[in-house]
Amino acid sequence: MAVMLGSWRQGGSRQGAADLAAAIELQVLDGQLPLGTRLPAERELADALGASRTLIGAALDRLRENGFVASRRGAGSWIAAPGRRRRDPAAGGGDDLIDFTHASSPATPGMIAAVDAARAGLAEHLADHGYQERGLLGLREKIARRYTERGLPTTPAQVMVTNGAHHAFVLVLRMLAGPGDRVLVEQPTYPNALEAIRAAHAIPVPVALDPTGARGWDIAGIDAALRQTSPRFAYLVVDFQNPTGLRLDAEGRDRLGAVLARARTPVVVDETLAELDLEGDPLAGPPPLAAFAGDLAICVGSASKTHWGGLRLGWIRASEDLLGRLVSARYAVDLGSPVFEQIVLTELLGEAGRAALARRREELRGYRDALAGAVGRHLPDWTFTLPKGGLSLWCRMPEPVSSRLAVAAASHGVQVAPGSRFGVHGGLERWIRLPFSLPPEKIHEAVRRLSAAAASVQGTPASLDAPIA
């Protein structure tokens, strides 16, 4: 906390409590202190900052008045949101329901600074009409540069900005497939992609992944499915696949690209999680699948998992010819993405944003390890392969009770997504996805509650009071 606050006194100001409160408010607004973060005890904070307890108490009183801090006798103080109902994160019951269904994180630190910089950059766009069907050139240049750095030479003319990766997928789906057409997908896969395919009255064709295998993807099975079902296109997630966390290596991508090229089947490659490599530099990983599949590949990406879902911005990377067709098809859906948010994302894709993303990956690595440890302690008969990136563990349970467990978990104060949501025709009842996008304290409590729910479903005792190392 002391390092984070830095030189919080305003020069020679004698308003120490006001200065400290303002410094903490800034850290909250910038995402450095997420909602629910517990604050140190007053004595501990006073010692770390070299300030009196009286000053610390006065600063906390100011923060409480402004709604940035909430407290309860015996439970300490924690970061709150101004204008929200103040809720004790330690309290039980329905008011403290833990959402374990979303594999997504709060905004990266630096979001407020990017917004402030974007306000200054907005002026040059105000004289324009504001409709950018392909997206701002500056943003497309930075997206193209990232693909080039990853081993896929790309120009801004090959990039179109969209309202998130899911919007990008729906645009491609509308252009490539119609009612009754087949779309090849992995099993398990991203549930919202399946919903979009069904909404278009197309038919998802599953090819099973092996979550425990060295590679996971059954490339021979994909080859056979392409020949037997002739899908209009394939939808694949080869970078930290959702929900399994698997990543296809370069040799596998080479083989898969050859299979797709031989069948002349376009492939939509979901790269939403590609830059969440928790073990190394994302630029040093295997090249994008499009580097092996050529113009048949349509890459969709997003800022939602790396920076913040609230931006609602993504992109499509494809050949100029195909992108031109997508732009024409887009007019039936929308007329472009918001300009201001694009300026914000352009700022976030700069050097400061890269540094913030590196810190986010380090943070998520700790969250992943905390979740793995909590599952090992409270649910020792569950198994999983520790992913090297992404945002979730794909856990195998000893019994096929995933849907029943999801229902029971809600009554224990935690929401989870059952394995059946990730299957084309349901099933996957021995599997459940657990995200590691929450702070460790919340992760431990969620798994503890999940253990109690599992005990009620499986009829085995739960260790509710087991300490967390």
Side-chain angles (χ1 to χ4, degrees):
M1 185 79 166
V3 171
M4 183 183 296
L5 292 174
S7 301
W8 51 273
R9 290 186 186 273
Q10 300 297 313
S13 172
R14 302 176 63 180
Q15 301 296 318
D19 291 345
L20 179 57
I24 292 176
E25 285 184 15
L26 179 61
Q27 298 300 321
V28 175
L29 292 172
D30 200 34
Q32 300 277 9
L33 286 172
L35 302 185
T37 300
R38 288 195 175 279
L39 295 177
E42 290 186 14
R43 184 190 301 276
E44 185 180 2
L45 190 54
D47 291 344
L49 296 178
S52 68
R53 287 191 64 186
T54 301
L55 185 150
I56 300 298
L60 290 177
D61 285 342
R62 282 175 173 266
L63 290 166
R64 292 186 191 98
E65 290 174 6
N66 294 333
F68 284 93
V69 166
S71 304
R72 187 173 68 84
R73 185 179 300 276
S77 300
W78 57 92
I79 297 298
R84 285 191 182 180
R85 180 171 59 88
R86 299 180 187 180
R87 187 172 67 193
D88 178 3
D95 283 346
D96 188 35
L97 185 66
I98 299 175
D99 185 352
F100 228 29
T101 62
H102 286 87
S104 54
S105 301
T108 52
M111 185 64 66
I112 297 298
V115 170
D116 289 341
R119 289 176 60 192
L122 180 61
E124 65 179 274
H125 297 279
L126 294 180
D128 193 6
H129 51 63
Y131 294 99
Q132 299 282 346
E133 65 272 6
R134 287 179 179 263
L136 296 181
L137 177 60
L139 177 55
R140 290 188 287 122
E141 286 175 342
K142 291 198 173 183
I143 294 170
R145 187 177 304 126
R146 293 297 278 182
Y147 276 109
T148 300
E149 291 171 344
R150 291 176 54 209
L152 178 63
T154 301
T155 67
Q158 294 174 287
V159 177
M160 179 171 72
V161 179
T162 63
N163 302 325
H166 190 61
H167 175 238
F169 174 68
V170 171
L171 287 176
V172 176
L173 175 65
R174 286 172 58 96
M175 186 182 74
L176 294 183
D181 288 334
R182 297 178 177 87
V183 178
L184 186 141
V185 299
E186 299 146 331
Q187 171 93 338
T189 192
Y190 179 49
N192 289 337
L194 293 176
E195 291 300 320
I197 293 169
R198 295 188 184 106
H201 304 288
I203 302 170
V205 177
V207 176
L209 282 175
D210 178 8
T212 64
R215 177 168 291 146
W217 282 263
D218 180 5
I219 296 178
I222 292 174
D223 188 17
L226 292 174
R227 287 185 283 103
Q228 294 169 9
T229 65
S230 300
R232 292 300 303 270
F233 71 94
Y235 169 75
L236 303 174
V237 190
V238 297
D239 288 287
F240 312 120
Q241 199 259 357
N242 185 2
T244 65
L246 295 170
R247 192 182 207 187
L248 187 61
D249 58 23
E251 191 270 332
R253 294 175 193 226
D254 187 27
R255 290 181 54 208
L256 180 55
V259 164
L260 292 164
R262 187 163 55 247
R264 298 301 302 164
T265 302
V267 56
V268 177
V269 188
D270 189 333
E271 297 193 315
T272 305
L273 299 165
E275 295 204 32
L276 290 184
D277 187 337
L278 307 185
E279 302 291 343
D281 183 355
L283 301 181
L289 180 59
F292 303 94
D295 288 348
L296 288 169
I298 305 166
C299 301
V300 299
S302 172
S304 296
K305 306 299 185 182
T306 52
H307 291 91
W308 187 40
L311 286 174
R312 300 308 314 130
L313 287 178
W315 53 84
I316 298 173
R317 189 273 180 201
S319 68
E320 291 187 42
D321 175 65
L322 193 146
L323 205 60
R325 293 163 54 200
L326 276 169
V327 170
S328 299
R330 181 174 188 173
Y331 291 128
V333 180
D334 71 340
L335 301 178
S337 299
V339 170
F340 184 72
E341 282 81 349
Q342 291 187 66
I343 304 173
V344 173
L345 182 55
T346 303
E347 294 290 333
L348 290 171
L349 294 182
E351 290 305 315
R354 291 193 184 203
L357 182 54
R359 294 195 297 273
R360 165 59 54 85
R361 289 195 295 266
E362 182 179 355
E363 176 185 72
L364 288 174
R365 184 166 61 248
Y367 290 8
R368 177 201 63 183
D369 295 344
L371 177 58
V375 172
R377 176 176 294 273
H378 287 291
L379 296 159
D381 52 352
W382 288 22
T383 59
F384 56 86
T385 298
L386 191 70
K388 294 183 179 181
L391 284 166
S392 60
L393 295 186
W394 184 236
C395 298
R396 189 178 193 276
M397 300 177 292
E399 300 177 43
V401 294
S402 185
S403 295
R404 290 167 52 202
L405 175 59
V407 174
S411 66
H412 286 78
V414 59
Q415 289 181 312
V416 291
S420 57
R421 284 209 62 208
F422 301 86
V424 171
H425 303 295
L428 300 174
E429 285 293 334
R430 284 188 180 270
W431 298 89
I432 198 163
R433 188 190 72 171
L434 302 182
F436 46 80
S437 51
L438 299 174
E441 181 181 62
K442 190 75 82 171
I443 285 174
H444 292 316
E445 177 61 18
V447 175
R448 188 191 73 85
R449 296 181 186 184
L450 197 57
S451 172
S456 69
V457 169
Q458 298 171 353
T460 56
S463 176
L464 294 183
D465 301 318
I468 296 294

